[in-house]
Amino acid sequence: MKHVPDATADRGFHPDGTTDRESVDSLLSELDEYAVEQALKLVESGIDAEVTYLTVGPGDAKAALRKALAMGGDNAVHVSDDAIAGTDALGTSLILARAVERIGFDLVITGMASTDAAMGVVPAMLAERLGVPGVTYLDELAIEGAVVTGRREGDTATERITATLPAVVSVTDRTGEARYPSFKGIMAAKKKPLQALDLEDLGIGAEQVGLGAAWSAVDSATIRPARTRGQVVPDQGDGGTELAAFLAAQKFI
Amino acid sequence: MGEILVLVGHVDGSVRKQTLELLTLARRIGEPTAVFLGSGAEAATEALGRFGARRILVVDAPEISDYLVGPAVDALAQIARSVGPAAILLPSTLDGRETAARLAVRLESGLITDAVDIEAGDRGPVTEQSVFAATYQVRAHVTKGIPVITVKPNAITPEPLPTAPEVEQVIVAFSAAATAVSVLSRTPRRKSDRPALTEADIVVSGGRGVNGAENFAVIERVADALGAAVGASRAAVDAGWYPHAHQVGQTGTQVSPQLYIAAGISGAIQHRAGMQTSRTIVAVNKDPEAPIFELVDHGVVGDLFQVLPQLEKEIARRRG
């Protein structure tokens, strides 16, 4: 899961092209809540499993883990290291892959994308690095024995897909509403184990990650000129006719 | 100039418009080679040649349709290793993005997603992206390996450049990883006479204010009068009024048409993220405070059930 700048706030960049995470409140990426929900549902359906949350990010990213633990689950792992700042998706997938290998896993569930970078590529990269199936963008998933089956809205058709565990699965916001943490859950979360790891623990050199090792570079990030608000007129009974006149003037009719 | 690999998006050889956009961009940074995976390459040759493909590399193997993404990654990786291209372009679709992600790891190459423009630069292709709900324009380039770039559909207008492409069959040795995710079934979405959401020049969308599945007919009639695609906000889709495939927004489809008409949509940030790069924006909403009005070129504060039928009638009259 990922701790991200609040999407409803004004987000921006530092001069080096990295995301400004200091001037905006951050929270657990909304799309990751669906992954938490699915993990908890699988356990509630009777599958004998332990749920571990994993995030990579600076100190305050622990808040995302606490939020997830408050929803349910067993423990959490926080990978943090000064050298990680500015790491891109390829580097992040490397860190996640090493961490997941160290923790051990049968199934990795992720959100479909983060709500900040919104690339949606880390789940596929993680599967590639782990050498396991990537069962992505599922609207529905089921586990039977060591087989995962799911439904996804593909590019041109609705697809039913299947793979054998261990696997990486990403789920969409259509898998079902995520639960709210209860007061009891919030209190219980404070006592759940939260393990801290750094790059050395994962056998990753500082030179392999961070802004300097990024596989792409931002040349410039400029604020788009705000759209100038055009005319907004109350409908006086001829709103549709006026709208047609506007569209005709713009050559759409 | 180097060779640029372009992954062809197609349905049984019928080439999708996104591919013509990729070929047009590829010509700016090198010589386009179309990579056609699956069956129907003969049907695609004319369209690919019309938009400037110099070569077409065809991988026609059953694995392509029986398994998800993996075979495409194997094919592109093997072709890239033998060709040594200057860049690889893929559409920013579900499969395109995922193929690109795995390819970048496999080729140890940088990845840029959701480009809306590409031009040649001193250090390879320079991309333009629109980020943070389209509030920022970012220019970037890949620093390591073969640049792998996904491009948003409908970001540019395809320009024809007729060529007579050479067609070559390529045999790919698929790895075990390529056949890891099986496709049990594919149910094509209901065919519509309307243009596809990502390819339409005009999109007419309805939201919470439409207030019921049956009322979407009001949106559809205006869309048909304009030859437009129909979109829907997440609220309308979650309420079950319109299929998810039509959802416009951060977690649905991101559109960038010439004209976007939002009816009964307040304009939550997630919706704005999916449509605010549209060239002209029009909104109809009862609430004068609706955030969507901040974006519009023309807004009508009123009841969409009054305004849209009148608009439809006026379009018909003007076209008379």
Side-chain angles (χ1 to χ4, degrees):
Chain A
M1 54 192 44
K2 189 173 180 187
H3 196 232
V4 299
D6 187 348
T8 59
D10 284 332
R11 296 168 293 176
F13 291 93
H14 290 305
D16 66 0
T18 58
T19 307
D20 175 2
R21 296 182 187 277
E22 292 77 40
S23 52
V24 175
D25 283 344
S26 286
L27 36 76
L28 170 59
S29 178
E30 184 205 328
L31 290 168
D32 290 341
E33 292 185 18
Y34 298 94
V36 173
E37 179 65 29
Q38 289 306 309
L40 297 175
K41 280 233 174 81
L42 287 175
V43 172
E44 285 162 1
S45 75
I47 289 173
D48 179 25
E50 186 180 334
V51 176
T52 300
Y53 302 111
L54 168 65
T55 195
V56 178
D60 62 352
K62 276 201 278 290
L65 296 173
R66 288 287 176 211
K67 164 92 189 269
L69 286 169
M71 292 167 71
D74 302 298
N75 50 58
V77 176
H78 178 208
V79 182
S80 177
D81 199 303
D82 290 345
I84 291 173
T87 302
D88 63 2
L90 279 146
T92 301
S93 68
L94 174 69
I95 299 169
L96 287 172
R98 293 282 179 277
V100 166
E101 279 165 347
R102 183 185 159 119
I103 296 163
F105 71 103
D106 297 302
L107 177 65
V108 178
I109 306 184
T110 74
M112 59 189 270
S114 66
T115 55
D116 56 348
M119 293 171 79
V121 295
V122 167
M125 288 178 170
L126 181 57
E128 178 74 23
R129 289 197 188 277
L130 292 170
V132 302
V135 191
T136 53
Y137 288 98
L138 296 187
D139 292 339
E140 271 175 25
L141 84 152
I143 305 271
E144 272 191 43
V147 175
V148 55
T149 305
R151 181 174 62 85
R152 55 144 45 191
E153 283 299 327
D155 291 334
T156 57
T158 303
E159 298 157 340
R160 287 188 54 76
I161 56 177
T162 189
T164 318
L165 300 183
V168 175
V169 164
S170 78
V171 297
T172 72
D173 55 338
R174 296 183 297 284
T175 44
E177 279 306 300
R179 67 195 65 191
Y180 286 102
S182 63
F183 178 70
K184 204 175 134 198
I186 294 167
M187 297 313 286
K190 293 183 177 170
K191 297 199 184 84
K192 291 179 182 174
L194 198 155
Q195 187 188 3
L197 295 176
D198 62 15
L199 289 178
E200 199 183 336
D201 295 324
L202 300 178
I204 296 172
E207 76 291 346
Q208 288 176 270
V209 295
L211 189 60
W215 299 76
S216 57
V218 171
D219 300 314
S220 66
T222 47
I223 294 191
R224 274 172 81 96
R227 292 186 76 100
T228 32
R229 182 181 155 120
Q231 49 177 347
V232 177
V233 292
D235 178 21
Q236 312 262 2
D238 59 352
T241 312
E242 272 187 29
L243 181 48
F246 171 80
L247 295 181
Q250 302 285 320
K251 310 260 186 275
F252 289 115
I253 302 176
Chain B
M1 290 220 279
E3 230 174 311
I4 309 296
L5 298 182
V6 170
L7 177 62
V8 175
H10 70 98
V11 179
D12 298 328
S14 165
V15 177
R16 302 183 77 190
K17 187 176 156 213
Q18 60 196 216
T19 309
L20 312 180
E21 295 161 11
L22 293 181
L23 287 170
T24 305
L25 286 174
R27 280 162 18 209
R28 294 195 202 155
I29 54 173
E31 297 187 344
T33 292
V35 178
F36 187 99
L37 308 179
S39 55
E42 303 76 26
T45 305
E46 191 271 333
L48 297 174
R50 191 151 35 92
F51 285 85
R54 299 285 190 91
R55 290 209 288 164
I56 304 173
L57 304 180
V58 179
V59 181
D60 188 358
E63 283 85 351
I64 302 289
S65 58
D66 294 349
Y67 301 93
L68 199 72
V69 178
V73 179
D74 270 17
L76 281 165
Q78 284 173 39
I79 289 170
R81 286 192 180 115
S82 72
V83 168
I88 305 174
L89 307 188
L90 307 93
S92 274
T93 56
L94 237 58
D95 289 351
R97 254 202 306 258
E98 190 170 341
T99 304
R102 284 180 169 265
L103 200 56
V105 170
R106 190 125 6 133
L107 297 175
E108 297 187 34
S109 294
L111 168 69
I112 290 174
T113 58
D114 289 331
V116 294
D117 207 356
I118 305 177
E119 56 190 52
D122 300 340
R123 296 165 295 185
V126 178
T127 61
E128 191 170 304
Q129 294 161 288
S130 175
V131 305
F132 287 156
T135 52
Y136 274 81
Q137 286 295 108
V138 167
R139 289 169 65 81
H141 68 278
V142 163
T143 50
K144 295 180 201 172
I146 302 163
V148 180
I149 301 168
T150 76
V151 180
K152 267 194 184 180
N154 221 22
I156 65 143
T157 307
E159 291 156 19
L161 176 76
T163 52
E166 291 168 42
V167 181
E168 294 165 45
Q169 304 290 326
V170 177
I171 304 295
V172 173
F174 292 106
S175 64
T179 53
V181 183
S182 304
V183 178
L184 297 171
S185 67
R186 279 199 175 93
T187 313
R189 275 191 280 282
R190 198 171 52 85
K191 280 263 192 306
S192 164
D193 294 335
R194 299 190 184 100
L197 201 49
T198 50
E199 299 177 0
D201 288 332
I202 302 178
V203 174
V204 185
S205 286
R208 202 184 297 274
V210 175
N211 201 25
E214 64 287 357
N215 298 339
F216 254 84
V218 174
I219 305 287
E220 289 176 334
R221 279 204 297 271
V222 172
D224 291 341
L226 291 166
V230 175
S233 71
R234 179 158 170 197
V237 169
D238 282 353
W241 301 340
Y242 222 69
H244 174 265
H246 294 264
Q247 184 178 319
V248 172
Q250 190 174 35
T251 58
T253 302
Q254 301 196 14
V255 300
S256 199
Q258 294 296 309
L259 171 64
Y260 188 84
I261 301 180
I265 292 175
S266 65
I269 181 103
Q270 289 81 358
H271 189 77
R272 301 208 307 265
M275 48 64 75
Q276 68 184 9
T277 51
S278 305
R279 193 171 70 86
T280 298
I281 297 175
V282 165
V284 180
N285 202 299
K286 272 188 195 167
D287 175 11
E289 305 296 322
I292 192 85
F293 284 131
E294 296 302 320
L295 301 178
V296 298
D297 297 286
H298 185 92
V300 181
V301 180
D303 182 351
L304 70 95
F305 296 107
Q306 304 290 327
V307 176
L308 293 193
Q310 195 178 69
L311 169 63
E312 184 198 338
K313 222 174 270 173
E314 183 63 14
I315 294 167
R317 190 189 69 78
R318 282 175 179 267
R319 290 202 168 139

